[in-house]
């Protein structure tokens, strides 16, 4: 396949579902060789198989992003298979919502470890390849919840932390021609938002309708909306953009 990411290698964590899967597909459609990693191999392999069926190149790898050793081997496998690593997108994510008086240590630890430590470990492993190559792009998934959201003290803290990480790494890695940005989506139709409906006992269609009604564009987001923004930030068109958090919420950020 040819396109704006031809000869580039992109690694997407959480790439087996939702926003990560749409992003992996978009990179492949635009010519990248894609490494799709997820907690379980099966969803990652399904995305990789579909990319290969359409003529692209993709490798699926199971990896828990909270654990240093598998993250380091994930990056090593990407480099071994495709000869380098140009792009890292961190989509691996999880929710354990609760009001503060009910939140357990494990709710806190799991969410902070997955989002914040997971992003740190992936970025650290990726920069080891990108710095010597003097080239790289990283996009981290933050969230509109970074601005505060009832029941998400763990998630909002982690997502706000990711924005700080993007700014700091933009400063540290900029001299090596590595751009680091964050993307903060609003309500996107994925398994994650469906799980919110299930947990709160609200019908998913009603939850989506309510979210669309309070959104200026009068719709909720699709994974492809976010994939388009992420791939733009990894493209040559965004080569002077770094250290930013771009909100994609269907309206202005409040
Ligand atoms: P999905 O649940 O559809 O996909 C997330 C993927 O990450 C799942 O396949 C999940 O596996 C995987 N994952 C969870 N924990 C780990 C781990 N420790 N190591 C590796 N992979 C892991 O979510 P979305 O596509 O909706 O979310 C993608 C990102 O976007 C997340 O960071 C999320 O916080 C963020 N986001 C999403 C929004 C939305 O409205 N959907 C809004 C704002 C931000 P499994 O299913 O097995 O748990």
């Amino acid at each position: 396949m040819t396109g704006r990411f031809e000869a580039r290698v992109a690694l997407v964590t959480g790439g087996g579902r939702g926003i990560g899967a749409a992003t992996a597909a978009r990179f492949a459609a635009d010519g990248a060789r894609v490494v799709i990693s997820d907690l379980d191999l099966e969803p990652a392999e399904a995305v990789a198989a579909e990319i290969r069926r359409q003529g692209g190149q993709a490798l699926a790898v199971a990896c828990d992003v909270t654990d240093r050793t598998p993250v380091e081997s994930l990056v090593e496998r990407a480099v071994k298979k495709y000869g380098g690593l140009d792009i890292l997108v961190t989509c691996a994510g999880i929710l354990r919502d609760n009001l503060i008086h009910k939140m357990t240590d494990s709710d806190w630890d799991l969410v902070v470890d997955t989002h914040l430590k997971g992003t740190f470990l992936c970025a650290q492993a990726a920069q080891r390849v990108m710095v010597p190559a003097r080239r790289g792009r990283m996009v981290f998934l933050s969230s509109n919840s970074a601005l505060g959201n009832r029941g998400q003290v763990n998630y909002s803290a982690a997502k706000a932390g990711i924005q700080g990480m993007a700014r700091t790494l933009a400063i540290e890695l900029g001299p090596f021609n590595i751009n680091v940005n964050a993307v903060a989506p609003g309500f996107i139709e994925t398994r994650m938002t469906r799980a919110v409906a299930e947990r709160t006992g609200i019908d998913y269609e009603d939850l989506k309708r309510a979210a669309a009604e309070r959104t200026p564009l009068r719709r909720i987001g699709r994974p492809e909306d976010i994939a388009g923004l992420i791939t733009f930030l990894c493209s040559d068109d965004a080569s002077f953009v770094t250290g930013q958090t771009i909100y994609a919420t269907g309206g202005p950020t409040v």
Side-chain angles (χ1 to χ4, degrees), residues 13-20 37-40 43 63-66 90-95 114-115 141-144 155 159 184-193:
T13 73
R17 303 187 209 279
I19 294 168
S37 112
D38 213 299
L39 204 48
D40 298 323
C63 172
D64 179 347
V65 298
T66 66
T90 57
C91 295
I94 199 162
L95 292 179
T114 304
H115 294 275
L141 267 289
S142 177
S143 166
N144 195 41
Y155 185 74
K159 291 307 199 185
F187 191 115
I188 311 299
E189 183 165 7
T190 68
R191 227 166 78 117
M192 185 174 270
T193 43

Side-chain angles (χ1 to χ4, degrees), residues 67-170:
D67 199 346
R68 170 175 292 282
T69 307
V71 168
E72 289 179 349
S73 1
L74 168 66
V75 170
E76 280 162 22
R77 277 194 69 186
V79 172
K80 200 167 172 201
K81 173 85 176 169
Y82 294 129
L85 180 63
D86 304 289
I87 294 163
L88 167 70
V89 180
T90 57
C91 295
I94 199 162
L95 292 179
R96 287 292 182 274
D97 295 356
N98 237 326
L99 294 175
I100 188 158
H101 66 283
K102 291 190 213 156
M103 187 162 288
T104 63
D105 286 1
S106 70
D107 291 335
W108 174 269
D109 288 344
L110 187 61
V111 167
V112 171
D113 278 1
T114 304
H115 294 275
L116 208 46
K117 186 179 175 195
T119 304
F120 159 67
L121 290 176
C122 292
Q124 193 178 50
Q127 61 82 38
R128 281 196 198 106
V129 182
M130 292 175 180
V131 166
R134 295 291 190 276
R135 179 168 98 168
R137 296 291 172 96
M138 298 189 195
V139 175
F140 305 152
L141 267 289
S142 177
S143 166
N144 195 41
S145 295
L147 301 171
N149 199 22
R150 188 179 154 84
Q152 293 194 321
V153 65
N154 49 1
Y155 185 74
S156 65
K159 291 307 199 185
I162 283 172
Q163 297 187 12
M165 208 186 299
R167 291 172 70 93
T168 295
L169 295 186

